[in-house]
């Protein structure tokens, strides 16, 4: 994750949410978030939060997840993916999970990546 001053601009309200599709519909939301954090360099995220702030990093990470195809940019795209899964596998029972910038910020905080958490060590 590499932020620059031009990537820290505030996103529009519509850009505050991405949508994950759980193929079998049984993943708790915490597991969905954990899967989105699986390959992230937590030290780099902590450094970015210190430099740019929690909100900016969470917004950037959400956009990165959408651009990488790990989240759908809108509910219609997620619903289309749900339909595609059902057409492919009648036994699946997909569920759409809404992932917001606030959810990512909360997860970064839970992982102790924020400056205030670091200062408590």
């Amino acid at each position: 994750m590499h932020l620059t001053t031009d990537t820290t601009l505030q996103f529009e309200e519509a850009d505050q949410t991405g949508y994950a599709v759980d193929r079998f519909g049984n993943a708790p939301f915490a597991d969905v978030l954990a899967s989105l954090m699986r390959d992230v360099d937590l030290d780099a995220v902590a450094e970015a939060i210190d430099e740019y702030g929690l909100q900016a990093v969470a917004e950037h990470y959400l956009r990165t997840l959408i651009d990488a195809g790990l989240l759908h940019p809108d509910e219609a795209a997620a619903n289309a993916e749900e339909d595609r899964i059902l057409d492919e596998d009648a036994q699946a029972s997909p569920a759409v999970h809404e992932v917001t910038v606030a959810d990512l910020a909360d997860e970064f905080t839970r992982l102790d990546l924020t400056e205030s958490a670091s200062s408590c060590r």
Side-chain angles (χ1 to χ4, degrees), residues 3 10 13 15-16 29 46 59-61 83 89 100 106 108 110 117:
L3 290 177
Q10 294 294 318
E13 189 66 32
D15 294 329
Q16 299 286 317
F29 187 66
E59 289 173 353
H60 179 74
Y61 193 62
D83 291 342
D89 180 0
T100 66
D106 288 347
F108 292 151
R110 187 190 70 74

Side-chain angles (χ1 to χ4, degrees), residues 27-73:
F29 187 66
D31 290 351
V32 171
L33 282 179
S35 74
L36 296 172
M37 300 290 167
R38 185 175 307 134
D39 296 325
V40 71
D41 178 346
L42 297 179
D43 291 333
V45 172
E47 289 174 17
I49 290 170
D50 284 346
E51 187 167 345
Y52 299 103
L54 180 60
Q55 180 74 18
V57 173
E59 289 173 353
H60 179 74
Y61 193 62
L62 179 72
R63 179 58 40 210
T64 299
L65 291 169
I66 290 170
D67 290 347
L70 297 172
L71 290 177
H72 297 280

Side-chain angles (χ1 to χ4, degrees), residues 104-116:
L104 294 173
D106 288 347
E107 186 68 1
F108 292 151
T109 301
R110 187 190 70 74
L111 293 170
D112 290 335
L113 303 178
T114 61
E115 183 178 2
S116 59

